[in-house]
Amino acid sequence: MAGAGPGKALPVRRRRRHPQWRGLLYIAPAMALVVVFFVMPVLFTGWMSLHNWPLLGSPRWIGFNNYFRMANDARFVSALRFTTYYTVIVTIAIFAVAFPLAIFVEKHRRFVGAYRTIIFLPVVVGLASASLLWVWLANVDSGFVGPALKALGVVEKSPNLLATFDSAFFTIIVMVVWKIAGFTMIILLTGLQAIPSELAEAARIDGAGRWQRFRYITLPLMRRTIALALIISVTGSILAFDQFYIMTSGGPQNRMISVVYYIFNQSFVSFNLGYGAALSIALLAILVVISVMQLRLLRVGEDRA
Amino acid sequence: MIKRLLAATSIATLCLASGASAAEKIEMWVRTGIGESFKKVVEAYNASHENQVAMTEVPFSELVQKYATAIAGGQAPDALSLDLIYTPAFAAAGQLEDLTDWAKALPYFNSLSPSHVKLGTYQDRIYGLPLSVETSIFAWNKDLYKKAGLDPEKAPTSWEEIEANAEKIRALGDDIYGFYFSGGGCGGCMIFTFTPLVWGSGADILSADGKTATLDTPEMRKAVDIYRSMVEKDLVPASAASDNGVNFLTFTNGKIGQQSIGAFAIGTLVTENPDINFGVTLIPGVNGGTSSFAGGDNFVITKGTKKIDAVKEFLEYTYSMDGQKVMAKYGSLPTRGDIADKVLEGLDPRMQVGIKAIEVAKTPYTLQFNDLINSANGPWATFTNAAIYGDDVDGAFSNAQSEMQSIIDTGQ
């Protein structure tokens, strides 16, 4: 994959006349976008994080005090704890649903195109709209779930799903899985389809069972695909905000404050832009570390040579 | 064409040069959600004055950010209708014009809504003056009272009475409830409707200087017990537990027997839900007494605006009999106590209760209102839900008390 430079096949003389900057020129537009929309904001955020930067009034240099404050911030720690909890649960749930679905829609069967479309449909709904839809579904009086349970005689009184932590958390997990699983399924599907069918056939001739084929052929060959799906899912979950903001406004008794929610609150409710910036930088560092760890664990890149 | 344009510009220049007689155009921002009264007073002012007010509505949740960025970019409006609880924070940030001398010279200065003036004062200088006033009051549905065999004209005077009435109303049917409140962590709703229970009996959630949290009082314990008991007895709809303020006016559906609401809502009920036959009274305290939350907007002027005289003229107009009448007609209570009775003449008599509430009303004075009270994730909002719906009341008290104190301390 990597290593094949553009000038490899060209004669040496010509390469000298067109030095490296030509390659730079090609990627310049992309680089410009990255610099303007990523590098500069990050640098500016870093600069802000060293200030007491109120929304109104003038910023004041305070060095690393925002970072010291973070270390003793119990609310930040509990936001981190909740985000971790959410990420673990929702990632497991998404994979537990998406993997069987991917295997299901991979086989050529009747209506498979329709299945794929239906399962993928929720992905194209915006997360905010999906959250609002589920707020309605979960509404105790005029919604769907509670009144339906009551009509079926399962419960005596329509339950308010968003009023207690457990039921609200469960509702949000179901919503996110409904919304995201289709996307993960498509990623896993491409991985499944990239596996040559001869391999599975050969294994079957050698007497490998269904589970053995999955464990020793499918899974190892899908390592990169799984890594991609995992990183997207984990990163997305760590950055979760909309569903908590819209569906529970932070949950019963503040128990659903994710890290991004906390950053939002610090910046735009408490007007501490500086502290919010410091928290953002910390979150960026955490995400980089987690992504590197995932790539290591799944040994992506080792087989490059 | 060009000649005409040139002529027009030179006339305009002449007008500018001749100074005072030129009409000014005041840029003014107002937050959404405070009803029609301000729009109408602007219309009335523009129709009768040479100076004109150009009003821009800004979503209330974005007003602070937008104003801050506008100041930074030199595009700030000349004046602002600002939720009064934010006035101390804005004044402390040094962005507002000092109005002290002018305000004190107003002949009716002493009869302006005291809570508003107090919130508009920072370090003994006045930066904000009352523009619109709203108070919280207790409303009951007279038709449901009658059906439940209660006297529809008799206002309840204690929470024991309210709870007993709620039980009788609840017995009327499956979807008829005795009481309602937005209990899903709506700090703004609960400071508005629930703190009067403790204020009325002399307790408060913050010390007078705003530097100590005093949440855990016998009065607050009693208030929490009253609400808990009504929830346990199923007198409150289950949806209240997760209502973050969206359904604050549930009373208007006609299936709620009693609820504490705002005086603005009297106007809404009278004009938009004329079929609801309701009475209003002051919110009783837990141990007797009555209280209310004085809310509404303060009028503030951006520091350094060049049109300050025109802005002052506009504000004086809103304080005039005409201005006050227009505002009151569309639901804002009179800001001037001295002419309140005359202003309300001929309007719905229930507005008088809203006026009476101003005398007993309070507003917490703190630079951190958003953090402490209003934020859906602040300690007050969390406390109201945890104490009324949670299993651990003591824990709710101690958590909120310590978190409020720590927010106050880090803000010093």
Side-chain angles (χ1 to χ4, degrees):
Chain A
M1 244 168 86
K8 211 172 188 181
L10 298 172
V12 180
R13 192 172 52 89
R14 230 187 126 180
R15 190 161 44 165
R16 274 208 194 120
R17 264 210 338 222
H18 296 278
Q20 296 275 329
W21 57 261
R22 191 171 156 179
L24 274 176
L25 205 65
Y26 282 130
I27 58 164
M31 288 301 290
L33 285 178
V34 170
V35 168
V36 171
F37 292 108
F38 180 75
V39 177
M40 282 179 23
V42 167
L43 289 179
F44 188 63
T45 308
W47 172 246
M48 282 175 82
S49 74
L50 303 175
H51 290 77
N52 180 343
W53 197 299
L55 201 54
L56 277 173
S58 43
R60 185 165 49 88
W61 173 268
I62 52 164
F64 284 92
N65 275 349
N66 277 330
Y67 292 92
F68 298 138
R69 176 178 164 192
M70 206 185 299
N72 302 316
D73 188 343
R75 284 186 291 167
F76 179 52
V77 174
S78 71
L80 275 177
R81 199 180 303 132
F82 171 72
T83 308
T84 313
Y85 177 66
Y86 168 77
T87 303
V88 170
I89 303 272
V90 84
T91 303
I92 293 174
I94 287 176
F95 273 81
V97 171
F99 224 117
L101 282 177
I103 293 172
F104 172 73
V105 298
E106 195 240 340
K107 300 220 172 72
H108 290 285
R109 60 176 92 217
R110 262 178 155 209
F111 308 126
V112 72
Y115 291 138
R116 285 179 192 169
T117 313
I118 291 170
I119 296 167
F120 193 72
L121 263 184
V123 178
V124 302
V125 180
L127 189 51
S129 335
S131 302
L132 281 172
L133 175 72
W134 280 71
V135 166
W136 169 73
L137 285 174
N139 186 292
V140 53
D141 297 317
S142 55
F144 175 74
V145 181
L149 288 175
K150 192 182 166 194
L152 289 172
V154 181
V155 288
E156 205 171 291
K157 211 169 161 275
S158 174
N160 189 344
L161 290 176
L162 298 178
T164 62
F165 177 81
D166 290 334
S167 59
F169 189 71
F170 182 73
T171 311
I172 288 182
I173 295 287
V174 174
M175 187 280 283
V176 172
V177 169
W178 167 82
K179 164 95 180 70
I180 304 290
F183 184 63
T184 312
M185 176 196 81
I186 293 289
I187 297 177
L188 294 175
L189 181 64
T190 57
L192 280 176
Q193 286 175 334
I195 300 173
S197 55
E198 294 84 20
L199 286 176
E201 244 165 67
R204 196 182 302 153
I205 292 167
D206 288 344
R210 191 180 276 252
W211 166 249
Q212 280 173 314
R213 271 180 279 140
F214 180 74
R215 170 72 187 80
Y216 295 103
I217 295 180
T218 312
L219 271 188
L221 286 174
M222 280 185 69
R223 212 165 59 202
R224 283 188 182 180
T225 318
I226 292 177
L228 175 66
L230 197 64
I231 287 179
I232 290 178
S233 167
V234 167
T235 314
S237 310
I238 289 177
L239 296 177
F241 169 71
D242 315 37
Q243 56 268 53
F244 305 117
Y245 186 67
I246 294 171
M247 290 179 71
T248 61
S249 12
Q253 293 140 40
N254 263 355
R255 288 167 65 193
M256 289 194 203
I257 305 283
S258 66
V259 175
V260 177
Y261 202 146
Y262 186 61
I263 294 173
F264 169 82
N265 271 352
Q266 279 301 328
S267 302
F268 298 110
V269 178
S270 310
F271 309 141
N272 296 324
L273 291 185
Y275 189 48
L279 290 167
S280 308
I281 295 286
L283 182 60
L284 181 69
I286 291 172
L287 275 174
V288 169
V289 169
I290 288 179
S291 300
V292 169
M293 265 166 38
Q294 285 183 95
L295 290 174
R296 282 268 169 84
L297 277 177
L298 289 155
R299 293 190 295 275
V300 172
E302 260 179 28
D303 45 19
R304 201 186 272 168
Chain B
M1 182 67 207
I2 289 177
K3 259 186 192 168
R4 208 186 287 169
L5 204 69
L6 272 175
T9 2
S10 46
I11 287 173
T13 327
L14 271 177
C15 286
L16 281 178
S18 63
S21 69
E24 300 260 29
K25 193 166 186 202
I26 310 164
E27 296 283 339
M28 183 155 177
W29 285 4
V30 60
R31 66 178 169 127
T32 56
I34 57 164
E36 291 289 292
S37 59
F38 187 70
K39 261 182 243 169
K40 297 291 176 186
V41 83
V42 165
E43 276 171 27
Y45 174 83
N46 285 347
S48 59
H49 288 74
E50 202 179 334
N51 291 335
Q52 296 288 300
V53 174
M55 186 189 85
T56 311
E57 268 194 289
V58 180
F60 71 93
S61 54
E62 291 165 27
L63 186 87
V64 177
Q65 290 97 302
K66 281 205 194 295
Y67 187 57
T69 37
I71 289 174
Q75 303 282 321
D78 302 302
L80 199 64
S81 170
L82 184 68
D83 191 337
L84 85 161
I85 53 165
Y86 290 126
T87 348
F90 273 58
Q95 306 294 348
L96 304 179
E97 193 72 45
D98 184 342
L99 305 174
T100 316
D101 300 329
W102 176 70
K104 288 199 168 150
L106 293 172
Y108 41 80
F109 175 70
N110 287 324
S111 55
L112 290 174
S113 164
S115 287
H116 283 63
V117 176
K118 186 180 159 208
L119 269 282
T121 308
Y122 176 72
Q123 293 181 344
D124 295 325
R125 307 299 289 174
I126 297 169
Y127 296 92
L129 288 169
L131 183 63
S132 58
V133 180
E134 163 161 79
T135 49
S136 50
I137 43 157
F138 181 88
W140 76 94
N141 186 317
K142 289 186 178 175
D143 290 337
L144 292 180
Y145 260 49
K146 209 181 287 172
K147 273 191 206 154
L150 298 159
D151 178 0
E153 300 307 323
K154 186 182 171 297
T157 53
S158 73
W159 283 93
E160 289 74 25
E161 198 180 339
I162 291 168
E163 189 172 339
N165 292 355
E167 282 182 66
K168 286 190 185 137
I169 294 165
R170 180 73 181 101
L172 289 176
D174 237 6
D175 56 348
I176 309 280
Y177 288 88
F179 190 71
Y180 190 84
F181 62 95
S182 298
C186 179
C189 316
M190 293 301 273
I191 194 80
F192 192 58
T193 60
F194 184 62
T195 35
L197 271 73
V198 298
W199 286 341
S201 299
D204 202 344
I205 59 170
L206 293 174
S207 63
D209 60 1
K211 293 200 170 141
T212 318
T214 54
L215 192 65
D216 196 352
T217 55
E219 288 82 2
M220 183 56 88
R221 293 263 175 185
K222 197 170 171 191
V224 164
D225 282 343
I226 291 165
Y227 271 47
R228 276 188 79 89
S229 151
M230 285 198 280
V231 169
E232 267 159 34
K233 288 181 186 163
D234 192 31
L235 308 177
V236 182
S239 56
S242 57
D243 177 9
N244 56 11
V246 175
N247 297 317
F248 181 70
L249 284 181
T250 295
F251 186 76
T252 54
N253 73 7
K255 291 176 176 172
I256 300 294
Q258 313 166 95
Q259 190 190 339
S260 297
I261 57 173
F264 281 173
I266 298 179
T268 311
L269 279 162
V270 170
T271 53
E272 283 165 39
N273 306 78
D275 47 319
I276 292 184
N277 181 15
F278 68 100
V280 289
T281 184
L282 298 178
I283 301 175
V286 286
N287 299 327
T290 52
S291 190
S292 171
F293 180 102
D297 278 29
N298 260 341
F299 187 92
V300 298
I301 301 178
T302 306
K303 195 168 199 164
T305 174
K306 294 192 175 67
K307 300 169 190 165
I308 191 153
D309 292 320
V311 175
K312 284 174 178 170
E313 185 196 79
F314 170 69
L315 188 57
E316 276 176 31
Y317 173 75
T318 68
Y319 288 150
S320 71
M321 185 60 115
D322 291 345
Q324 294 277 294
K325 273 211 156 142
V326 174
M327 300 271 293
K329 196 173 158 199
Y330 291 93
S332 172
L333 299 170
T335 40
R336 276 178 64 182
D338 55 340
I339 54 168
D341 290 339
K342 268 193 197 156
V343 169
L344 288 180
E345 240 167 54
L347 292 177
D348 194 290
R350 285 170 286 204
M351 292 290 273
Q352 295 283 0
V353 177
I355 285 291
K356 245 191 273 165
I358 293 181
E359 289 159 30
V360 292
K362 285 185 124 183
T363 316
Y365 184 95
T366 162
L367 301 186
Q368 297 139 312
F369 194 89
N370 222 19
D371 266 346
L372 288 171
I373 311 287
N374 244 14
S375 159
N377 312 112
W380 167 254
T382 311
F383 164 77
T384 56
N385 184 269
I388 296 169
Y389 284 99
D391 300 320
D392 180 10
V393 179
D394 290 330
F397 269 99
S398 61
N399 286 343
Q401 169 75 35
S402 66
E403 201 182 325
M404 281 174 106
Q405 193 59 54
S406 99
I407 289 177
I408 295 170
D409 292 341
T410 52
Q412 298 296 317

